[in-house]
Short mmCIF file of all heavy atoms in Angstrom, two decimals:
data_model
loop_
_atom_site.label_atom_id
_atom_site.label_comp_id
_atom_site.label_asym_id
_atom_site.label_seq_id
_atom_site.Cartn_x
_atom_site.Cartn_y
_atom_site.Cartn_z
N ASP A 1 168.14 98.82 -36.34
CA ASP A 1 169.47 99.40 -36.50
C ASP A 1 170.01 99.93 -35.18
O ASP A 1 171.22 99.91 -34.94
CB ASP A 1 169.43 100.53 -37.54
CG ASP A 1 169.23 100.01 -38.95
OD1 ASP A 1 169.48 98.80 -39.19
OD2 ASP A 1 168.82 100.80 -39.81
N SER A 2 169.12 100.37 -34.30
CA SER A 2 169.57 100.99 -33.05
C SER A 2 170.14 99.98 -32.05
O SER A 2 170.86 100.38 -31.13
CB SER A 2 168.41 101.74 -32.40
OG SER A 2 167.34 100.86 -32.10
N VAL A 3 169.84 98.70 -32.22
CA VAL A 3 170.33 97.70 -31.27
C VAL A 3 171.24 96.67 -31.91
O VAL A 3 171.86 95.86 -31.20
CB VAL A 3 169.18 96.98 -30.56
CG1 VAL A 3 168.21 97.97 -29.94
CG2 VAL A 3 168.46 96.02 -31.50
N LYS A 4 171.32 96.69 -33.22
CA LYS A 4 172.15 95.71 -33.92
C LYS A 4 173.58 95.78 -33.41
O LYS A 4 174.11 96.86 -33.19
CB LYS A 4 172.10 95.96 -35.43
CG LYS A 4 172.68 94.84 -36.26
CD LYS A 4 172.49 95.12 -37.73
CE LYS A 4 173.04 93.97 -38.58
NZ LYS A 4 172.88 94.21 -40.03
N ASP A 5 174.20 94.65 -33.22
CA ASP A 5 175.56 94.50 -32.72
C ASP A 5 175.68 94.70 -31.22
O ASP A 5 176.77 94.52 -30.66
CB ASP A 5 176.53 95.46 -33.43
CG ASP A 5 176.63 95.22 -34.92
OD1 ASP A 5 176.50 94.04 -35.33
OD2 ASP A 5 176.81 96.19 -35.67
N ARG A 6 174.58 95.06 -30.56
CA ARG A 6 174.60 95.16 -29.09
C ARG A 6 173.65 94.16 -28.44
O ARG A 6 173.93 93.66 -27.35
CB ARG A 6 174.20 96.58 -28.65
CG ARG A 6 175.14 97.66 -29.12
CD ARG A 6 174.81 99.00 -28.45
NE ARG A 6 173.46 99.47 -28.81
CZ ARG A 6 172.51 99.72 -27.90
NH1 ARG A 6 172.74 99.58 -26.62
NH2 ARG A 6 171.32 100.17 -28.31
N PHE A 7 172.52 93.88 -29.10
CA PHE A 7 171.52 92.97 -28.56
C PHE A 7 171.54 91.66 -29.33
O PHE A 7 171.81 91.63 -30.55
CB PHE A 7 170.13 93.57 -28.66
CG PHE A 7 169.86 94.76 -27.77
CD1 PHE A 7 170.87 95.39 -27.06
CD2 PHE A 7 168.56 95.23 -27.64
CE1 PHE A 7 170.61 96.48 -26.24
CE2 PHE A 7 168.28 96.32 -26.82
CZ PHE A 7 169.30 96.94 -26.14
N THR A 8 171.19 90.57 -28.65
CA THR A 8 171.09 89.27 -29.29
C THR A 8 169.81 88.58 -28.84
O THR A 8 169.59 88.42 -27.63
CB THR A 8 172.28 88.38 -28.95
OG1 THR A 8 173.50 89.03 -29.35
CG2 THR A 8 172.18 87.04 -29.67
N ILE A 9 168.99 88.17 -29.79
CA ILE A 9 167.79 87.41 -29.49
C ILE A 9 168.08 85.93 -29.71
O ILE A 9 168.78 85.56 -30.67
CB ILE A 9 166.59 87.89 -30.35
CG1 ILE A 9 165.30 87.22 -29.89
CG2 ILE A 9 166.84 87.67 -31.84
CD1 ILE A 9 164.04 87.79 -30.56
N SER A 10 167.56 85.10 -28.83
CA SER A 10 167.73 83.66 -28.96
C SER A 10 166.52 82.97 -28.36
O SER A 10 165.69 83.62 -27.71
CB SER A 10 169.01 83.19 -28.27
OG SER A 10 168.96 83.48 -26.88
N ARG A 11 166.41 81.67 -28.57
CA ARG A 11 165.28 80.94 -28.04
C ARG A 11 165.68 79.52 -27.70
O ARG A 11 166.62 78.97 -28.27
CB ARG A 11 164.12 80.95 -29.05
CG ARG A 11 164.37 80.19 -30.33
CD ARG A 11 163.27 80.47 -31.35
NE ARG A 11 161.97 79.97 -30.89
CZ ARG A 11 160.81 80.40 -31.39
NH1 ARG A 11 160.78 81.34 -32.33
NH2 ARG A 11 159.68 79.88 -30.95
N ASP A 12 164.93 78.94 -26.78
CA ASP A 12 165.09 77.54 -26.41
C ASP A 12 163.69 76.93 -26.52
O ASP A 12 162.86 77.10 -25.62
CB ASP A 12 165.64 77.43 -24.99
CG ASP A 12 165.93 75.99 -24.60
OD1 ASP A 12 165.35 75.07 -25.20
OD2 ASP A 12 166.73 75.79 -23.68
N ASN A 13 163.44 76.25 -27.61
CA ASN A 13 162.10 75.70 -27.83
C ASN A 13 161.75 74.60 -26.84
O ASN A 13 160.58 74.37 -26.56
CB ASN A 13 161.97 75.19 -29.26
CG ASN A 13 161.85 76.33 -30.27
OD1 ASN A 13 161.58 77.48 -29.91
ND2 ASN A 13 162.08 76.02 -31.54
N ALA A 14 162.76 73.94 -26.30
CA ALA A 14 162.50 72.90 -25.31
C ALA A 14 161.99 73.50 -24.01
O ALA A 14 161.29 72.83 -23.24
CB ALA A 14 163.76 72.10 -25.05
N LYS A 15 162.32 74.77 -23.76
CA LYS A 15 161.90 75.44 -22.54
C LYS A 15 160.81 76.48 -22.78
O LYS A 15 160.43 77.21 -21.86
CB LYS A 15 163.10 76.12 -21.87
CG LYS A 15 164.17 75.15 -21.41
CD LYS A 15 165.30 75.89 -20.72
CE LYS A 15 166.35 74.91 -20.20
NZ LYS A 15 167.48 75.63 -19.54
N ASN A 16 160.33 76.58 -24.01
CA ASN A 16 159.32 77.59 -24.35
C ASN A 16 159.76 78.99 -23.92
O ASN A 16 158.98 79.75 -23.32
CB ASN A 16 157.97 77.26 -23.71
CG ASN A 16 157.20 76.22 -24.49
OD1 ASN A 16 157.77 75.49 -25.30
ND2 ASN A 16 155.90 76.13 -24.25
N THR A 17 160.99 79.33 -24.22
CA THR A 17 161.56 80.57 -23.72
C THR A 17 162.32 81.28 -24.82
O THR A 17 162.98 80.66 -25.65
CB THR A 17 162.51 80.28 -22.55
OG1 THR A 17 161.79 79.60 -21.52
CG2 THR A 17 163.07 81.57 -21.97
N VAL A 18 162.21 82.61 -24.82
CA VAL A 18 162.99 83.45 -25.72
C VAL A 18 163.74 84.46 -24.87
O VAL A 18 163.25 84.88 -23.81
CB VAL A 18 162.09 84.14 -26.76
CG1 VAL A 18 161.10 85.09 -26.12
CG2 VAL A 18 162.92 84.86 -27.81
N TYR A 19 164.93 84.80 -25.30
CA TYR A 19 165.82 85.67 -24.54
C TYR A 19 166.19 86.90 -25.37
O TYR A 19 166.21 86.87 -26.59
CB TYR A 19 167.11 84.93 -24.17
CG TYR A 19 166.88 83.61 -23.47
CD1 TYR A 19 166.85 82.43 -24.19
CD2 TYR A 19 166.70 83.56 -22.09
CE1 TYR A 19 166.64 81.22 -23.55
CE2 TYR A 19 166.49 82.35 -21.45
CZ TYR A 19 166.46 81.18 -22.18
OH TYR A 19 166.26 79.98 -21.55
N LEU A 20 166.53 87.95 -24.66
CA LEU A 20 167.11 89.13 -25.29
C LEU A 20 168.31 89.55 -24.45
O LEU A 20 168.14 90.10 -23.36
CB LEU A 20 166.11 90.28 -25.40
CG LEU A 20 166.62 91.51 -26.17
CD1 LEU A 20 166.82 91.16 -27.65
CD2 LEU A 20 165.67 92.68 -26.02
N GLN A 21 169.48 89.25 -24.95
CA GLN A 21 170.72 89.67 -24.29
C GLN A 21 171.06 91.07 -24.75
O GLN A 21 171.23 91.32 -25.94
CB GLN A 21 171.86 88.71 -24.64
CG GLN A 21 173.19 89.09 -24.03
CD GLN A 21 173.20 88.99 -22.52
OE1 GLN A 21 172.67 88.04 -21.95
NE2 GLN A 21 173.78 89.98 -21.86
N MET A 22 171.14 91.98 -23.79
CA MET A 22 171.38 93.39 -24.12
C MET A 22 172.72 93.81 -23.52
O MET A 22 172.89 93.79 -22.30
CB MET A 22 170.25 94.25 -23.55
CG MET A 22 168.87 93.82 -24.01
SD MET A 22 167.55 94.93 -23.47
CE MET A 22 167.68 94.75 -21.70
N ASN A 23 173.65 94.16 -24.38
CA ASN A 23 174.97 94.60 -23.95
C ASN A 23 175.18 96.07 -24.30
O ASN A 23 174.47 96.63 -25.13
CB ASN A 23 176.04 93.75 -24.63
CG ASN A 23 175.97 92.29 -24.26
OD1 ASN A 23 175.53 91.93 -23.17
ND2 ASN A 23 176.37 91.44 -25.18
N SER A 24 176.17 96.66 -23.68
CA SER A 24 176.52 98.06 -23.96
C SER A 24 175.29 98.96 -23.92
O SER A 24 175.05 99.75 -24.83
CB SER A 24 177.22 98.17 -25.32
OG SER A 24 178.37 97.35 -25.36
N LEU A 25 174.52 98.84 -22.87
CA LEU A 25 173.27 99.58 -22.77
C LEU A 25 173.52 101.08 -22.70
O LEU A 25 174.52 101.55 -22.13
CB LEU A 25 172.48 99.11 -21.56
CG LEU A 25 171.76 97.77 -21.77
CD1 LEU A 25 171.37 97.15 -20.45
CD2 LEU A 25 170.53 97.97 -22.66
N LYS A 26 172.58 101.81 -23.30
CA LYS A 26 172.64 103.26 -23.37
C LYS A 26 171.39 103.85 -22.73
O LYS A 26 170.34 103.18 -22.69
CB LYS A 26 172.72 103.72 -24.83
CG LYS A 26 173.85 103.11 -25.63
CD LYS A 26 173.75 103.52 -27.09
CE LYS A 26 174.86 102.90 -27.92
NZ LYS A 26 174.76 103.29 -29.36
N PRO A 27 171.43 105.10 -22.30
CA PRO A 27 170.22 105.72 -21.74
C PRO A 27 169.03 105.67 -22.70
O PRO A 27 167.89 105.54 -22.26
CB PRO A 27 170.66 107.15 -21.46
CG PRO A 27 172.13 107.03 -21.19
CD PRO A 27 172.61 105.96 -22.13
N GLU A 28 169.29 105.75 -23.98
CA GLU A 28 168.20 105.72 -24.97
C GLU A 28 167.56 104.34 -25.10
O GLU A 28 166.55 104.19 -25.80
CB GLU A 28 168.67 106.21 -26.35
CG GLU A 28 169.94 105.57 -26.85
CD GLU A 28 171.17 106.41 -26.56
OE1 GLU A 28 171.30 106.93 -25.43
OE2 GLU A 28 172.02 106.52 -27.48
N ASP A 29 168.12 103.33 -24.46
CA ASP A 29 167.49 102.01 -24.42
C ASP A 29 166.43 101.93 -23.32
O ASP A 29 165.72 100.92 -23.23
CB ASP A 29 168.54 100.92 -24.17
CG ASP A 29 169.53 100.80 -25.32
OD1 ASP A 29 169.10 100.86 -26.48
OD2 ASP A 29 170.74 100.63 -25.02
N THR A 30 166.31 102.95 -22.51
CA THR A 30 165.32 102.96 -21.44
C THR A 30 163.92 102.88 -22.02
O THR A 30 163.54 103.69 -22.88
CB THR A 30 165.46 104.24 -20.60
OG1 THR A 30 166.72 104.23 -19.94
CG2 THR A 30 164.34 104.34 -19.57
N ALA A 31 163.16 101.89 -21.58
CA ALA A 31 161.81 101.65 -22.10
C ALA A 31 161.20 100.47 -21.37
O ALA A 31 161.88 99.75 -20.63
CB ALA A 31 161.86 101.36 -23.59
N VAL A 32 159.92 100.26 -21.62
CA VAL A 32 159.28 99.01 -21.24
C VAL A 32 159.46 98.05 -22.43
O VAL A 32 159.14 98.41 -23.56
CB VAL A 32 157.79 99.20 -20.92
CG1 VAL A 32 157.15 97.85 -20.60
CG2 VAL A 32 157.62 100.17 -19.76
N TYR A 33 159.96 96.88 -22.14
CA TYR A 33 160.22 95.89 -23.18
C TYR A 33 159.13 94.82 -23.16
O TYR A 33 158.81 94.27 -22.10
CB TYR A 33 161.59 95.26 -22.97
CG TYR A 33 162.71 96.16 -23.41
CD1 TYR A 33 163.03 97.30 -22.68
CD2 TYR A 33 163.44 95.90 -24.56
CE1 TYR A 33 164.04 98.15 -23.09
CE2 TYR A 33 164.46 96.74 -24.98
CZ TYR A 33 164.76 97.87 -24.24
OH TYR A 33 165.77 98.71 -24.65
N TYR A 34 158.60 94.54 -24.34
CA TYR A 34 157.51 93.59 -24.49
C TYR A 34 157.94 92.42 -25.36
O TYR A 34 158.58 92.60 -26.40
CB TYR A 34 156.30 94.25 -25.14
CG TYR A 34 155.69 95.37 -24.34
CD1 TYR A 34 156.11 96.68 -24.53
CD2 TYR A 34 154.70 95.12 -23.40
CE1 TYR A 34 155.56 97.72 -23.80
CE2 TYR A 34 154.14 96.15 -22.66
CZ TYR A 34 154.58 97.44 -22.87
OH TYR A 34 154.02 98.47 -22.15
N CYS A 35 157.51 91.26 -24.96
CA CYS A 35 157.67 90.04 -25.74
C CYS A 35 156.37 89.81 -26.49
O CYS A 35 155.28 90.08 -25.95
CB CYS A 35 157.96 88.89 -24.77
SG CYS A 35 158.01 87.27 -25.49
N ALA A 36 156.45 89.31 -27.73
CA ALA A 36 155.25 89.07 -28.52
C ALA A 36 155.43 87.82 -29.36
O ALA A 36 156.56 87.45 -29.72
CB ALA A 36 154.97 90.28 -29.43
N SER A 37 154.31 87.20 -29.69
CA SER A 37 154.36 85.98 -30.50
C SER A 37 153.35 86.05 -31.63
O SER A 37 152.29 86.67 -31.51
CB SER A 37 154.09 84.75 -29.63
OG SER A 37 152.73 84.70 -29.24
N THR A 38 153.70 85.38 -32.72
CA THR A 38 152.77 85.25 -33.83
C THR A 38 152.91 83.86 -34.42
O THR A 38 154.02 83.33 -34.52
CB THR A 38 153.01 86.32 -34.90
OG1 THR A 38 152.09 86.13 -35.98
CG2 THR A 38 154.42 86.27 -35.46
N GLY A 39 151.80 83.24 -34.79
CA GLY A 39 151.82 81.88 -35.32
C GLY A 39 151.85 81.87 -36.82
O GLY A 39 152.26 82.83 -37.48
N ASN A 40 151.42 80.77 -37.39
CA ASN A 40 151.33 80.60 -38.84
C ASN A 40 152.68 80.72 -39.54
O ASN A 40 152.74 81.01 -40.73
CB ASN A 40 150.34 81.60 -39.45
CG ASN A 40 148.94 81.43 -38.91
OD1 ASN A 40 148.45 80.31 -38.76
ND2 ASN A 40 148.29 82.53 -38.58
N ARG A 41 153.74 80.52 -38.76
CA ARG A 41 155.10 80.52 -39.33
C ARG A 41 155.37 81.77 -40.17
O ARG A 41 156.00 81.70 -41.24
CB ARG A 41 155.34 79.26 -40.15
CG ARG A 41 155.21 77.99 -39.32
CD ARG A 41 155.53 76.75 -40.15
NE ARG A 41 155.33 75.53 -39.37
CZ ARG A 41 156.26 74.94 -38.65
NH1 ARG A 41 157.49 75.46 -38.61
NH2 ARG A 41 156.01 73.86 -37.96
N LEU A 42 154.93 82.92 -39.67
CA LEU A 42 155.19 84.18 -40.37
C LEU A 42 156.66 84.52 -40.32
O LEU A 42 157.32 84.33 -39.29
CB LEU A 42 154.36 85.31 -39.75
CG LEU A 42 152.85 85.24 -39.95
CD1 LEU A 42 152.20 86.43 -39.26
CD2 LEU A 42 152.49 85.22 -41.42
N TRP A 43 157.14 85.07 -41.41
CA TRP A 43 158.53 85.55 -41.45
C TRP A 43 158.66 86.59 -42.55
O TRP A 43 157.75 86.81 -43.33
CB TRP A 43 159.51 84.38 -41.63
CG TRP A 43 160.94 84.79 -41.36
CD1 TRP A 43 161.99 84.80 -42.23
CD2 TRP A 43 161.45 85.28 -40.10
NE1 TRP A 43 163.11 85.27 -41.59
CE2 TRP A 43 162.82 85.57 -40.29
CE3 TRP A 43 160.89 85.49 -38.84
CZ2 TRP A 43 163.63 86.05 -39.27
CZ3 TRP A 43 161.69 85.99 -37.83
CH2 TRP A 43 163.05 86.27 -38.05
N GLY A 44 159.82 87.22 -42.61
CA GLY A 44 160.07 88.28 -43.57
C GLY A 44 160.18 89.61 -42.84
O GLY A 44 159.36 89.91 -41.96
N ARG A 45 161.18 90.40 -43.18
CA ARG A 45 161.45 91.64 -42.46
C ARG A 45 160.25 92.58 -42.49
O ARG A 45 159.92 93.22 -41.47
CB ARG A 45 162.68 92.35 -43.05
CG ARG A 45 163.00 93.68 -42.37
CD ARG A 45 164.28 94.29 -42.90
NE ARG A 45 165.45 93.59 -42.37
CZ ARG A 45 165.99 93.84 -41.18
NH1 ARG A 45 165.47 94.74 -40.39
NH2 ARG A 45 167.07 93.17 -40.80
N ALA A 46 159.59 92.69 -43.62
CA ALA A 46 158.47 93.62 -43.74
C ALA A 46 157.30 93.22 -42.85
O ALA A 46 156.46 94.06 -42.51
CB ALA A 46 158.01 93.71 -45.19
N VAL A 47 157.25 91.95 -42.46
CA VAL A 47 156.14 91.44 -41.65
C VAL A 47 156.47 91.48 -40.17
O VAL A 47 155.76 92.09 -39.37
CB VAL A 47 155.78 90.00 -42.08
CG1 VAL A 47 154.69 89.44 -41.16
CG2 VAL A 47 155.34 89.96 -43.53
N VAL A 48 157.53 90.85 -39.78
CA VAL A 48 157.77 90.61 -38.35
C VAL A 48 158.41 91.79 -37.63
O VAL A 48 158.58 91.73 -36.41
CB VAL A 48 158.61 89.33 -38.13
CG1 VAL A 48 157.90 88.13 -38.71
CG2 VAL A 48 160.02 89.49 -38.69
#
């Protein structure tokens, strides 16, 4: 909820790359940002 409407996640499977576009940044967005992956085609809000 804290980033919805400001951040956009996207991916390019041909380039093995995922992006996080961050707009309208706020001081409370200050942090170390980590990328993570999980296999087995997991999905669902409660899981991912």
Side-chain angles (χ1 to χ4, degrees):
D1 289 341
S2 61
V3 307
K4 192 176 181 180
D5 298 327
R6 298 189 298 122
F7 291 10
T8 302
I9 188 172
S10 61
R11 67 191 295 161
D12 185 338
N13 286 344
K15 296 182 178 179
N16 279 19
T17 302
V18 63
Y19 308 94
L20 185 67
Q21 178 66 42
M22 305 186 297
N23 297 331
S24 302
L25 283 162
K26 305 174 181 180
E28 50 263 45
D29 295 318
T30 295
V32 178
Y33 283 72
Y34 297 91
C35 173
S37 71
T38 179
N40 299 317
R41 299 183 183 270
L42 291 180
W43 193 243
R45 178 175 285 277
V47 176
V48 301

